[in-house]
Amino acid sequence: ALSAPREVLCRECAHHREGMEVLTSMTSEEAIEEIVAFWKQAGLTLVGARPWLEFFEVFKPPVKTDLERRMSTNFLHYRANYCQIVCGIMAFAVVTSPRTLLGILLSMIISCAIFVVRANSLAIGDTVLQLTKRNRGLASAAASLVCLVLTGAMLWLLLFFSLSLLVVLGHMALRPRTLAAKYNAATDDIRHMFFGGDASSATVRRVR
């Protein structure tokens, strides 16, 4: 009669270990390297923004056959402007919301406490969790997420982040391509065709 509860407990522990393995694999060095590589490949930067008068110069409805080309060209040409817009909107969201400031402050305090703790392991029921750098980072991310959700900051930040994406996508679709942007896109295509490699990285070097 006592074996059934033990089997159930063992199964729950096994599921818990599997879940922890999945979560730790998400924070592995390979995953972090992939995120960094994507960030570099996209060339997202705050430096090298185009003049704002040029940015807001003219808007025209896109033609269906030219929409994809226009959006990709504008992204390469104005990516620094887009990054500044997103950062500015998110900064405005944080400054104008006391709850968001409180959630971020609590997240920072808890994250610092997690990394300051000198213990090497933590017992959760029958499971012993090793407090490695990876697991501390995972615990810090989970605690920060909980703080942001409980204070209502997560919903507020997601709302303004969605707004910033709408502004960026709207500009990418409605801003006609300039001659400089067309030239950069054409030279990138030629370079990619003959020499290979990432065309967007070449554009980043020219923009800078």
Side-chain angles (χ1 to χ4, degrees):
L2 296 176
S3 60
R6 290 181 180 177
E7 292 179 358
V8 173
L9 183 60
C10 291
R11 290 176 183 175
E12 291 180 356
C13 291
H15 287 305
H16 178 71
R17 291 192 186 97
E18 291 176 0
M20 290 301 300
E21 290 177 358
V22 172
L23 290 175
T24 52
S25 65
M26 292 172 61
T27 58
S28 62
E29 294 181 359
E30 292 80 4
I32 296 175
E33 289 177 358
E34 289 180 2
I35 295 174
V36 173
F38 171 78
W39 186 273
K40 291 181 178 179
Q41 184 178 4
L44 301 178
T45 177
L46 296 173
V47 182
R50 299 291 177 174
W52 291 103
L53 290 177
E54 173 191 332
F55 188 82
F56 294 107
E57 185 176 4
V58 62
F59 296 98
K60 291 182 180 179
V63 182
K64 290 184 179 179
T65 56
D66 188 53
L67 179 60
E68 182 179 355
R69 185 73 172 177
R70 175 187 285 191
M71 294 186 71
S72 61
T73 303
N74 283 336
F75 172 76
L76 294 175
H77 197 64
Y78 296 110
R79 73 183 83 191
N81 299 77
Y82 296 147
C83 289
Q84 290 182 11
I85 288 174
V86 172
C87 291
I89 292 178
M90 296 307 296
F92 176 81
V94 172
V95 172
T96 57
S97 174
R99 289 186 178 183
T100 303
L101 290 172
L102 176 62
I104 294 176
L105 180 61
L106 290 176
S107 301
M108 293 175 61
I109 293 175
I110 295 176
S111 298
C112 291
I114 290 174
F115 280 96
V116 168
V117 172
R118 296 182 179 180
N120 295 324
S121 61
L122 177 65
I124 305 176
D126 294 336
T127 304
V128 177
L129 178 64
Q130 298 298 325
L131 295 180
T132 60
K133 246 184 215 184
R134 183 184 303 173
N135 290 336
R136 289 175 188 267
L138 179 62
S140 174
S144 300
L145 181 61
V146 171
C147 289
L148 294 177
V149 171
L150 292 179
T151 56
M154 179 61 68
L155 183 60
W156 183 257
L157 292 175
L158 288 176
L159 176 63
F160 276 83
F161 183 70
S162 301
L163 175 63
S164 65
L165 290 183
L166 286 177
V167 172
V168 169
L169 292 175
H171 184 275
M172 290 170 60
L174 297 176
R175 177 68 169 91
R177 295 184 295 160
T178 62
L179 291 176
K182 292 179 180 179
Y183 173 77
N184 288 338
T187 53
D188 281 340
D189 290 340
I190 294 174
R191 179 173 300 189
H192 182 68
M193 182 184 303
F194 288 99
F195 301 102
D198 181 26
S200 63
S201 62
T203 304
V204 176
R205 287 193 293 271
R206 281 198 302 277
V207 170
R208 291 178 182 175

